[in-house]
Amino acid sequence: MCVCAFSKEKKLSSAIKILFLGFFLAQVVMFFPIQLDKYGKGGAAVLKSILMSINRAMRSFALTDIDFINPTHSINPSAYNFYSLFLMVICFVCPFLSLGYILSLFSKVRASTKLALSYGKDVYVFSQLNEESITFASDISQNHPKAGIIFCDVIDSSGGESNPFSDRAEQLNATCLNKPITAVNFKLHSKKRRVYFFCISGNEQANTNDALELIGKYKNRRHTRLYFFSTLLESQLVLANCDSGYIRVRRVDKARTFINRFLYDNGQMLFEHTAPPEKGESEKRISVLILGLGKCGGEMLKALSWYCQMDGYRLSIDAVDISPFAEDKLRAECPELLDSEHNGVRAAGEAEYYISFHSGVDFRSTEFEKIVSGLPETTFAFVALGKDSDNIEACVKLRGIFERAKARPDICAVLRNSDKKQAVRGVRNFKGQEYNIDSIGDIPSVFTEKEIIHSEIEEEALKLHLEWGVEEVFWRYEYNHRASIARAIHRRARIACGQLNSDVPYDRQTPEEREKSGILEHKRWNAFTRAAGYRYSGSTDKSSRNDLGLIHNDLVSYNLLSDRTKKKDRDISVNK
């Protein structure tokens, strides 16, 4: 559920409170002339009338009978029928408002009781109850049936529209609180048990703010982990510079998470399904079409630039987007990756790739078909237009274009909806021909304990990181975390391609084998670092490196590196 839906429910909750107060005041006002007629005039009579009007209004909410049908001298007899009918309606509605309020109190007491009973359990606390959090919680509950599942900022049914995921939360026996995650007190929770916080609303700014407040509140508590979902640059700075104490803080970028998983699990097919070498060349061709350069498409383009650095292969990427500013935006994010000195240039010891842009092109246009038809044989197509329906439509259109060109590339689309993912899997036309459309990014695949909390990729990346650094640096600094993950993913691909000497012990590898591995590692690192926004500092002197300015002294070809840096590339690239 998006943040706007939760805001709507909060507004409805406030509206119910205003309605409750409005009905109460309306009764007081309407009972007043009846009481004033009974007690007469004068200061004391007015005060008595006000107090008795309040008393009778309160009694109407308490389900007691009220007699107000006798006309008063204060009201015109001809208007009394309307007056009494209106007052009857108000008094009829009030008990239902009262009953709803009482039921909401029971709900709050029940939730507080369940929260107290979770004292001796590991608890998983979500900032909102939405599709992503309930999917994630369901996976956790299946793996840890005794754990406590807690959803915060859930509006109870008496406060307006019910949450569409409340029934699923009830099936999990989860605790639903109407307080924000930062207002719930877990300082008294058993110090021996783990507390996992997930700032997982649709508002990335709110997730970052909640994360900051939770860090300040619980940084002295051991066995605490915090995951906040955000792609904002601000969130990266929060992670790097705040004092998180004992809390392990992890920023989750959803798009990068499932793209990393795709490359780690299935990326080897890029090297298996290639086009023949061009005339006079020896490298097999990996020819990629990326449709849509939003968050997912842009991340895939940058990831492929370093992932496909492999001896014996040559990478070309054609990127298409409807926005006329798509290319300019990516060039601003990673200028040296796409400049004329590196993009499309072959140089010894340097990363090699050929990236072309087709901005301002709608996939439904004839221009799009001309572009795709005119490309060299495409071996992989990635579709990330934002909407599942658009992605499916584009995949079907691409398959038709490729079929006419007698080409059968792998096509992969980003589909968030798991039902749509299942629908396109194995889908055929009326002749029984398969479209062969794969997909990634659906919520049940991304929001799992294995993917977010116990990521196999992260565990492998941490092992590689510990060869040269300490664990705290891996979790705290975004660049180190991403760099180690990229290295782990590429290492797996190198083993699959037989380019890591995996069967030869380190001490038995020849200097030539180590040198070859070192060159490949540096080519990969160059592409990765440029994709992260870095540029060459202008000097190979280490003192010229400036990470605030995103400039690095080692962004040169392998042969220009110092002997010490070359040895580092050789050492970290071999299979020890």
Side-chain angles (χ1 to χ4, degrees), residues 111-358:
S112 298
T113 302
K114 291 175 69 175
L115 180 64
L117 292 175
S118 68
Y119 169 83
K121 301 178 180 179
D122 289 344
V123 292
Y124 298 81
V125 189
F126 298 86
S127 63
Q128 280 191 359
L129 175 57
N130 53 40
E131 185 177 7
E132 294 173 346
S133 64
I134 192 67
T135 302
F136 196 178
S138 298
D139 182 72
I140 291 171
S141 181
Q142 185 175 0
N143 299 330
H144 309 282
K146 296 183 179 180
I149 305 295
I150 300 170
F151 295 103
C152 300
D153 214 9
V154 181
I155 306 302
D156 58 275
S157 59
S158 66
E161 296 178 355
S162 60
N163 190 294
F165 304 103
S166 295
D167 289 343
R168 291 176 63 183
E170 185 69 25
Q171 291 171 7
L172 295 178
N173 195 31
T175 302
C176 293
L177 306 173
N178 60 6
K179 298 179 180 179
I181 192 171
T182 54
V184 185
N185 188 1
F186 289 95
K187 290 184 177 181
L188 300 179
H189 197 78
S190 173
K191 300 296 188 293
K192 297 179 180 180
R193 310 308 303 182
R194 292 186 179 275
V195 176
Y196 297 83
F197 291 109
F198 302 94
C199 300
I200 196 172
S201 78
N203 186 328
E204 294 189 352
Q205 183 64 64
N207 292 342
T208 303
N209 293 341
D210 286 345
L212 268 175
E213 191 168 343
L214 289 170
I215 290 170
K217 191 173 182 179
Y218 297 105
K219 65 181 180 180
N220 294 322
R221 189 189 186 282
R222 298 179 185 272
H223 307 302
T224 306
R225 292 189 180 185
L226 168 62
Y227 299 80
F228 69 107
F229 292 72
S230 176
T231 60
L232 300 176
L233 176 61
E234 173 188 340
S235 64
Q236 298 182 34
L237 302 179
V238 166
L239 181 62
N241 297 294
C242 70
D243 177 15
S244 56
Y246 293 116
I247 302 180
R248 176 183 291 179
V249 183
R250 164 93 148 75
R251 186 182 75 94
V252 182
D253 183 321
K254 292 179 283 190
R256 190 174 296 145
T257 295
F258 65 72
I259 287 173
N260 285 341
R261 171 56 65 182
F262 170 76
L263 294 176
Y264 189 79
D265 288 342
N266 304 311
Q268 297 91 327
M269 63 92 170
L270 291 167
F271 304 103
E272 296 168 356
H273 304 164
T274 58
E278 293 180 344
K279 187 176 180 179
E281 301 290 344
S282 60
E283 297 100 334
K284 298 175 182 178
R285 291 186 296 116
I286 301 173
S287 182
V288 178
L289 171 66
I290 296 179
L291 179 53
L293 287 173
K295 177 63 180 174
C296 298
E299 282 298 327
M300 180 61 84
L301 184 148
K302 289 185 280 188
L304 290 178
S305 71
W306 53 261
Y307 181 78
C308 293
Q309 297 303 313
M310 200 73 67
D311 291 337
Y313 298 87
R314 191 175 182 184
L315 170 68
S316 66
I317 299 175
D318 282 88
V320 181
D321 194 275
I322 194 171
S323 170
F325 307 107
E327 178 181 355
D328 188 60
K329 181 180 177 182
L330 267 176
R331 287 187 182 278
E333 291 179 10
C334 39
E336 197 165 285
L337 180 76
L338 301 173
D339 65 21
S340 59
E341 294 182 20
H342 302 93
N343 182 17
V345 176
R346 305 192 73 173
E350 261 290 5
E352 182 183 348
Y353 45 82
Y354 301 79
I355 303 175
S356 301
F357 293 92
H358 309 272

Side-chain angles (χ1 to χ4, degrees), residues 19 21 30 45 52 66 91 168 190 200 227 286 307 320 415 471 473 508 510 542 571:
L19 188 65
L21 180 61
M30 296 191 73
M52 284 304 300
I66 299 174
C91 292
R168 291 176 63 183
S190 173
I200 196 172
Y227 299 80
I286 301 173
Y307 181 78
V320 181
L415 298 180
E471 183 171 353
V473 172
R508 290 175 55 188
T510 67
K542 189 176 181 179
D571 288 347

Side-chain angles (χ1 to χ4, degrees), residues 368-369 372-373 396-406:
F368 173 73
E369 183 167 350
V372 177
S373 300
V396 171
K397 182 168 185 176
L398 280 173
R399 183 57 75 197
I401 297 173
F402 292 137
E403 285 292 322
R404 289 190 287 275
K406 294 182 170 37

